[in-house]
Amino acid sequence: MDAFIIKGGRPLHGTVRVHGSKNASLPLMAAALLTDSPVTLHDVPDLSDIRNMTRLLGTLGCETSLKDAEPSRPLTIHATDPSQTAAPYEIVKTMRAGICVLGPLLAKRGKARVSMPGGCAIGDRPVDLHLRGLRALGAEITLDAGDIVAVAPGKDQKLIGGHVFLGGPSGSTVLGTANVLCAAVLAKGQTVIESAACEPEIADLADLLTQMGAQIQGAGSPRLIIDGVDQLSGADHRVIPDRIEAGTYVCAAAITHSTITLENFPTDALGAALDRLNAVGVEVTPISTDGQPIDRHRGSVTVKTDDTLKPIQVFTQPHPGFPTDLQAQLMSLLCLADGNSTITEKIFPDRFLHVAELLRMGANLTRNGPSVVITGAPKLIGAPVMASDLRASAGLVLAALAAKGTTTINRVYHLDRGYERMELTLQSLGADIQRVKEENL
Ligand code: EPZ
């Protein structure tokens, strides 16, 4: 396994281009199962989760080709063998997003067997809302040996449009909305999804499906109206920038009090995060490049930070609220603010694995259920720490960039699931970060 060794205290400078979004790419890739024609996706990031999804689609009769040498790295997925309908545990257990193939398989092939994803480091992560939504479209669903077994109704094995409410105790469900949306586009008649997830990744999925011939109204809003069509065509689509990677690099600049430029930056998708960061003293300014008008979806921004970080109160919420996927990174930043901050996690109340590791670096944190009080300290101190989940690991890298001395972060394979070659990006900005083999430490 790999580890990072980070010597903190170096200011960052330069320009970084944000990659395509992981969490948009995974359901987009699964949507290729909905058509017999090839679907080409540009800007899919080079990450282990994406490679696992490619492997999963391979077992489901898809041929995939990646033109790695081209700048947008086009990935073409062609579902050529519709006889395969089982997503095996060996792959789904490596990546919860494997559940994304359930809706497309059921809609296009009339049946699916998908291993039930287990919990993970950030919580239990049930899929009851996914199943509720698919049942509302007529699917018969049972559990067998840890697998979800779903069959579309009737002799023709076609789903039937229905009215679905997807709100749960923590709001809507992102991948649940993706599954039901993909199922509804080929169902007979009209489907209405109430309390649909409004995340930009769902709007991007709706964009691809519309390009393939689907009839969808309300993309990006909590009410989706879908008129089923008989078949979908292929498409050529560019994935949206990764708002979480973008927000992470804003926090990297902020925690080191550096001025950097970020390209392919999704300003509008980060409204709540930029608002909270602004209250801390971080200024993210969209800029025009080559005389072009400012682009708030894929434009460039500069990041600058005040000398003193101010404390804030934050609640994570479904989009357009502050994203849970930036909570750990923000916490690292607030460890160095001048006063007491509070973060309350409303999506995954146990997503605090980074707290114990930040304590090892001298942070002053008190957890009380789903909330953490962060008493700002003048400095963090380098220490050996353990990466536990993807975003917790990103939070630790940020803390290490600002810490006095050396931090060793073990198990960085968690980071490799969501950040493309993070150490190279940070090195290009002037950080002192090295990837080493844990056994060589
Ligand atoms: C997506 O997970 C993201 N993953 C997560 O990103 C992200 O943290 C999460 O949305 C919330 O924004 C991908 O897109 C691949 P949910 P998802 O269903 O869709 C509850 C990262 O770091 N719920 O929106 O699985 C659930 O327990 C990852 O990149 C139910 O109760 O999350 C949670 O409290 C981690 N029943 C809330 O809803 C269900 O059937 C939101 O979960 C489904 C979810």
Side-chain angles (χ1 to χ4, degrees):
M1 275 189 277
D2 290 355
F4 280 167
I5 298 178
I6 300 173
K7 290 189 182 138
R10 290 245 194 144
L12 307 182
H13 48 82
T15 301
V16 159
R17 183 180 181 277
V18 176
H19 294 98
S21 161
K22 164 181 86 84
N23 287 349
S25 297
L26 293 165
L28 292 173
M29 291 170 73
L33 289 165
L34 289 164
T35 172
D36 301 326
S37 305
V39 170
T40 299
L41 301 172
H42 299 265
D43 256 1
V44 174
D46 184 11
L47 300 170
S48 56
D49 271 13
I50 299 292
R51 288 189 286 277
N52 283 327
M53 181 57 96
T54 306
R55 208 153 58 91
L56 178 57
L57 292 174
T59 67
L60 294 171
C62 296
E63 288 172 8
T64 53
S65 72
L66 175 71
K67 292 193 179 137
D68 216 357
E70 291 186 22
S72 71
R73 299 179 72 253
L75 171 67
T76 300
I77 304 165
H78 190 183
T80 48
D81 175 5
S83 65
Q84 308 298 325
T85 55
Y89 179 62
E90 292 69 50
I91 305 182
V92 176
K93 76 174 181 201
T94 63
M95 168 203 52
R96 279 186 50 86
I99 189 78
C100 290
V101 300
L102 178 60
L105 283 177
L106 196 52
K108 178 72 175 150
R109 302 185 182 175
K111 57 183 180 174
R113 177 183 268 271
V114 178
S115 174
M116 178 87 134
C120 71
I122 67 175
D124 291 343
R125 309 198 65 188
V127 291
D128 56 310
L129 296 171
H130 300 234
L131 305 189
R132 185 207 286 177
L134 296 173
R135 284 194 174 109
L137 302 189
E140 285 164 29
I141 302 179
T142 50
L143 275 185
D144 177 50
D147 293 341
I148 300 162
V149 181
V151 184
K155 281 213 178 97
D156 59 352
Q157 292 201 316
K158 284 278 276 182
L159 294 168
I160 303 160
H163 212 101
V164 189
F165 180 77
L166 282 186
S170 312
S172 191
T173 160
V174 179
L175 295 183
T177 302
N179 256 331
V180 181
L181 174 59
C182 284
V185 291
L186 287 179
K188 286 188 269 188
Q190 190 174 78
T191 298
V192 178
I193 307 178
E194 303 281 8
S195 195
C198 303
E199 269 66 7
E201 294 76 20
I202 296 298
D204 200 33
L205 175 62
D207 273 357
L208 171 71
L209 293 170
T210 303
Q211 213 194 120
M212 291 164 73
Q215 300 288 322
I216 303 166
Q217 296 171 55
S221 82
R223 187 162 207 258
L224 295 176
I225 303 173
I226 304 123
D227 288 295
V229 295
D230 286 340
Q231 59 177 19
L232 295 173
S233 61
D236 195 272
H237 178 81
R238 182 170 168 205
V239 180
I240 55 171
D242 194 312
R243 63 192 167 107
I244 305 304
E245 188 196 38
T248 302
Y249 289 130
V250 170
C251 292
I255 204 165
T256 53
H257 293 272
S258 307
T259 298
I260 65 167
T261 301
L262 293 169
E263 296 173 349
N264 199 35
F265 189 90
T267 304
D268 278 356
L270 279 165
L274 298 184
D275 174 74
R276 292 292 72 206
L277 284 163
N278 192 256
V280 177
V282 185
E283 204 182 307
V284 176
T285 313
I287 50 173
S288 135
T289 43
D290 303 330
Q292 298 296 314
I294 281 174
D295 180 347
R296 297 181 64 88
H297 300 288
R298 301 176 186 276
S300 297
V301 297
T302 53
V303 187
K304 284 189 187 149
T305 305
D306 294 348
D307 290 343
T308 304
L309 303 176
K310 292 186 274 298
I312 54 164
Q313 316 300 316
V314 183
F315 292 81
T316 65
Q317 285 173 326
H319 192 77
F322 188 94
T324 171
D325 291 346
L326 280 174
Q327 180 256 109
Q329 300 88 316
L330 181 71
M331 187 178 294
S332 294
L333 181 63
L334 295 177
C335 286
L336 294 168
D338 185 19
N340 287 344
S341 301
T342 312
I343 294 185
T344 302
E345 177 56 70
K346 303 282 262 186
I347 310 288
F348 296 113
D350 290 321
R351 194 176 198 177
F352 286 124
L353 287 161
H354 40 291
V355 167
E357 304 302 306
L358 287 172
L359 289 174
R360 292 175 50 75
M361 298 179 71
N364 196 341
L365 307 171
T366 312
R367 177 162 172 203
N368 182 9
S371 297
V372 174
V373 177
I374 304 137
T375 302
K379 62 173 192 284
L380 293 168
I381 301 155
V385 291
M386 189 82 84
S388 48
D389 90 278
L390 167 55
R391 307 302 171 186
S393 313
L396 295 178
V397 170
L398 300 183
L401 291 175
K404 197 169 159 33
T406 302
T407 299
T408 308
I409 305 180
N410 291 295
R411 299 194 182 176
V412 295
Y413 65 87
H414 290 288
L415 264 175
D416 295 335
R417 289 187 39 226
Y419 292 91
E420 191 175 321
R421 291 181 277 272
M422 187 187 234
E423 75 280 19
L424 298 186
T425 302
L426 291 171
Q427 278 167 9
S428 77
L429 292 172
D432 189 338
I433 172 170
Q434 304 299 330
R435 182 185 286 264
V436 296
K437 292 275 167 224
E438 277 185 23
E439 49 272 27
N440 297 339
L441 286 172

